[in-house]
Amino acid sequence: MNKSYQAVMGRKNEIMKKSVGIDYKVLEYGRISFDYEGLMKNVPYDLEDIAKIQSETKVGKTPLFELKNLTALVRKYAPKGKGARIFIKDEAANCSGSFKDRRASLSVYHAKKIGFKGVIAATSGNYGATVAAQAAQRGIKCIVVQEVYDSRKVGQPEILEKARKCEAYGAEVVQLTVGPELFYVFLTLLEETGYFNASLYTPYSIAGIETLGYEVAAEIKEREGKFPDAVVITHAGGGNVTGTARGVLKAGAKDTKIIGASVDLTGLHMASDNDFNKKSFTTGHTGFGVPFAVWPDRSDVPRNAARPLRYLDRYVTVTQGEVFYTTELLAQLEGLERGPAGNTSLAAAIALAKEMDEDQIIVVQETEYTGAGKHPLAQLSFARENGIEVKIGNPEENIPGKTIVIPENLGQMGYKEIDLDDLRKSYIKNAVNTYNVKEVEDVDVEFLAEDIKWTKENVAKTLKEFGVKVM
């Protein structure tokens, strides 16, 4: 069999169909559209089934805490009558210490049920650890393909620790330098082993997170007599937002605002050897959040089940310094030491809570990614070694790749609003260019409107601006 780069990439759809068990072609219609809910129906389990499956491997039913001390501090810096109550879902209580146990649990269960001998995941390491932990409990093999080093063979302490954690659960870890070979190696291993693709972007992965959104909404309703006013979700590849939002809606919380939050790493390129070690966060940042919002089908499956623009009401960014500061606040005020990356959404929630009424409720839906190598001091020391200036001051002075400015007090914490309409227009432009269309059908307009949560009129107007005729 031809194993050249071009030959393997040419067999991509065939490899994916065999390794995921989904025929994506039957879902396609119109010029650019596909049946999204039809894709999700490939998961043959309802929410009750999934919760039961997850409980078998120590996943789900995590604690929900009200952060009373942190809320009290927020109110000191908020206008009178403002300062929403902040709650947090402690996903570190899952077996490997991450909300991603939910998305891995269903993929691994299903892989074993339909007869696969092992699973493979391509990841920076967060997700790999959860796949490895689930595979260990189900008694099947696991391979993790991970970007670890720059060309000098230097890796961030956080990423190195994630690799160690994958190995601790018994996984074989294939470590690569940053670059385009990740997907090629991933496809080659799928073809050679015949293992199941435990991708972050299959419907199994998204359905696994729905239990998190459902628990958040249902538990707040039971305790407080109403659904949360807002749920803040760390946004990277889109699965966290998509799965959580779907679960919130399934609980009946149709008026709860879904707010995505990412660390602002504007200007740093994730595939750049030069930039690889200049970012202090390996997930939950704009380097993934923006590209996957404006074109989710850039993933390792033909059609991505993680589609954040379908569900986002708002999307905000915070700085690296604000997230490190939040990590200290959570530990020193609430006695919860959780990894900086998982505190991205909490940093945003603090800033947002200052603007919300005191009787409103804002929920941070997870705390932690893996618990591996996330202590701020290790990441900040590594940043200094790579020429990043770390100082105390105004967080607005943060410059990704150059400075990390940690706030002096909570009053300095804020956020930047990303214009969702700009992202929607970029999404449409990417769809037009990817499918090279000059004309689309009315069903395509309906699909786009649903996929980016916009009106058909706005979609049609934007298509016209790009020179595309609606038939």
Side-chain angles (χ1 to χ4, degrees):
M1 186 176 291
N2 189 337
K3 293 189 177 180
S4 68
Y5 181 87
Q6 289 77 12
V8 171
M9 298 306 285
R11 295 194 296 273
K12 181 180 79 170
N13 286 341
E14 177 189 339
I15 295 169
M16 286 302 174
K17 182 178 177 182
K18 189 179 293 184
S19 63
V20 178
I22 297 174
D23 186 355
Y24 286 84
K25 285 186 178 178
V26 302
L27 301 167
E28 305 284 341
Y29 66 89
R31 305 295 178 92
I32 59 178
S33 309
F34 80 102
D35 181 358
Y36 178 66
E37 290 302 331
L39 173 63
M40 294 304 298
K41 286 178 181 174
N42 276 275
V43 178
Y45 316 109
D46 62 21
L47 262 182
E48 188 175 345
D49 296 330
I50 295 169
K52 183 179 178 184
I53 290 166
Q54 291 177 333
S55 71
E56 293 172 358
T57 50
K58 311 172 189 68
V59 179
K61 299 291 183 185
T62 52
L64 177 71
F65 299 125
E66 181 172 6
L67 303 181
K68 294 182 178 179
N69 293 337
L70 188 54
T71 299
L73 184 60
V74 166
R75 289 176 177 172
K76 288 185 179 179
Y77 290 94
K80 187 176 181 182
K82 300 292 183 181
R85 296 166 66 191
I86 303 173
F87 288 73
I88 198 165
K89 188 75 165 164
D90 192 11
E91 286 290 284
N94 288 311
C95 64
S96 82
S98 164
F99 85 93
K100 291 187 178 179
D101 282 309
R102 295 183 188 259
R103 65 196 310 176
S105 60
L106 196 55
S107 292
V108 174
Y109 170 84
H110 188 70
K112 181 170 183 179
K113 182 180 178 182
I114 60 178
F116 283 84
K117 303 297 182 187
V119 291
I120 300 180
T123 166
S124 68
N126 297 319
Y127 180 57
T130 67
V131 175
Q134 291 299 307
Q137 293 179 80
R138 296 289 181 190
I140 62 176
K141 302 287 187 183
C142 177
I143 298 175
V144 174
V145 185
Q146 182 189 20
E147 281 184 339
V148 180
Y149 305 110
D150 63 13
S151 59
R152 301 169 299 165
K153 294 287 285 184
V154 174
Q156 295 202 16
E158 177 184 336
I159 294 181
L160 296 173
E161 181 63 11
K162 290 178 196 173
R164 183 208 63 75
K165 186 156 184 170
C166 293
E167 291 173 340
Y169 292 126
E172 177 184 347
V173 182
V174 180
Q175 298 185 332
L176 304 173
T177 54
V178 63
E181 71 268 29
L182 176 71
F183 196 38
Y184 167 77
V185 171
F186 178 60
L187 287 172
T188 302
L189 286 170
L190 283 172
E191 197 166 43
E192 288 177 352
T193 61
Y195 284 2
F196 186 82
N197 177 11
S199 165
L200 286 160
Y201 307 112
T202 69
Y204 302 104
S205 178
I206 304 308
I209 304 174
E210 289 180 8
T211 55
L212 172 54
Y214 187 90
E215 287 177 24
V216 165
E219 289 170 13
I220 289 289
K221 179 70 182 297
E222 183 178 356
R223 288 169 56 167
E224 304 298 328
K226 65 175 186 176
F227 289 121
D229 296 282
V231 176
V232 189
I233 306 163
T234 300
H235 172 48
N240 199 15
V241 167
T242 304
T244 300
R246 289 177 62 85
V248 167
L249 288 171
K250 287 185 176 181
K254 301 187 186 307
D255 295 326
T256 297
K257 298 299 181 188
I258 301 298
I259 303 174
S262 298
V263 178
D264 181 10
L265 292 186
T266 302
L268 296 181
H269 196 291
M270 297 309 106
S272 163
D273 183 53
N274 182 60
D275 292 348
F276 186 64
N277 282 325
K278 289 186 177 178
K279 57 188 189 303
S280 291
F281 291 84
T282 57
T283 189
H285 54 69
T286 51
F288 291 126
V290 172
F292 274 88
V294 299
W295 194 237
D297 293 328
R298 63 181 69 244
S299 71
D300 60 359
V301 290
R303 290 293 196 170
N304 191 347
R307 308 190 80 82
L309 286 183
R310 275 184 173 255
Y311 301 100
L312 281 175
D313 293 304
R314 295 176 67 182
Y315 181 25
V316 301
T317 64
V318 293
T319 67
Q320 294 180 92
E322 287 168 328
V323 180
F324 283 121
Y325 182 67
T326 299
T327 301
E328 286 197 42
L329 284 179
L330 185 63
Q332 294 181 15
L333 292 180
E334 301 289 350
L336 296 170
E337 187 187 30
R338 302 291 183 262
N343 287 332
T344 300
S345 47
L346 179 57
I350 288 171
L352 291 162
K354 288 192 289 185
E355 302 173 351
M356 297 171 63
D357 294 339
E358 282 187 351
D359 62 351
Q360 289 188 297
I361 292 174
I362 188 167
V363 181
V364 176
Q365 50 74 264
E366 53 96 6
T367 48
E368 180 74 21
Y369 278 92
T370 62
K374 296 296 181 65
H375 195 284
L377 290 181
Q379 287 299 114
L380 291 173
S381 296
F382 186 78
R384 290 190 181 96
E385 292 169 7
N386 282 273
I388 310 297
E389 181 185 10
V390 179
K391 62 181 183 180
I392 306 293
N394 185 344
E396 292 183 0
E397 296 173 0
N398 268 275
I399 302 174
K402 294 183 179 179
T403 59
I404 294 174
V405 185
I406 298 172
E408 296 172 287
N409 59 65
L410 187 145
Q412 294 176 309
M413 293 183 66
Y415 63 85
K416 288 184 179 178
E417 191 95 31
I418 291 183
D419 189 334
L420 288 179
D421 284 352
D422 287 345
L423 299 184
R424 290 173 175 127
K425 289 176 182 175
S426 294
Y427 173 103
I428 292 174
K429 183 178 182 181
N430 283 324
V432 168
N433 291 338
T434 299
Y435 292 97
N436 192 26
V437 292
K438 297 294 183 185
E439 297 177 340
V440 297
E441 301 172 27
D442 193 53
V443 292
D444 294 310
V445 176
E446 290 180 6
F447 166 77
L448 289 171
E450 289 180 5
D451 214 32
I452 58 178
K453 205 174 184 178
W454 220 14
T455 65
K456 287 178 63 177
E457 289 74 19
N458 281 334
V459 170
K461 179 183 176 184
T462 304
L463 285 167
K464 187 177 181 181
E465 290 172 1
F466 293 134
V468 177
K469 181 180 178 182
V470 180
M471 297 171 65

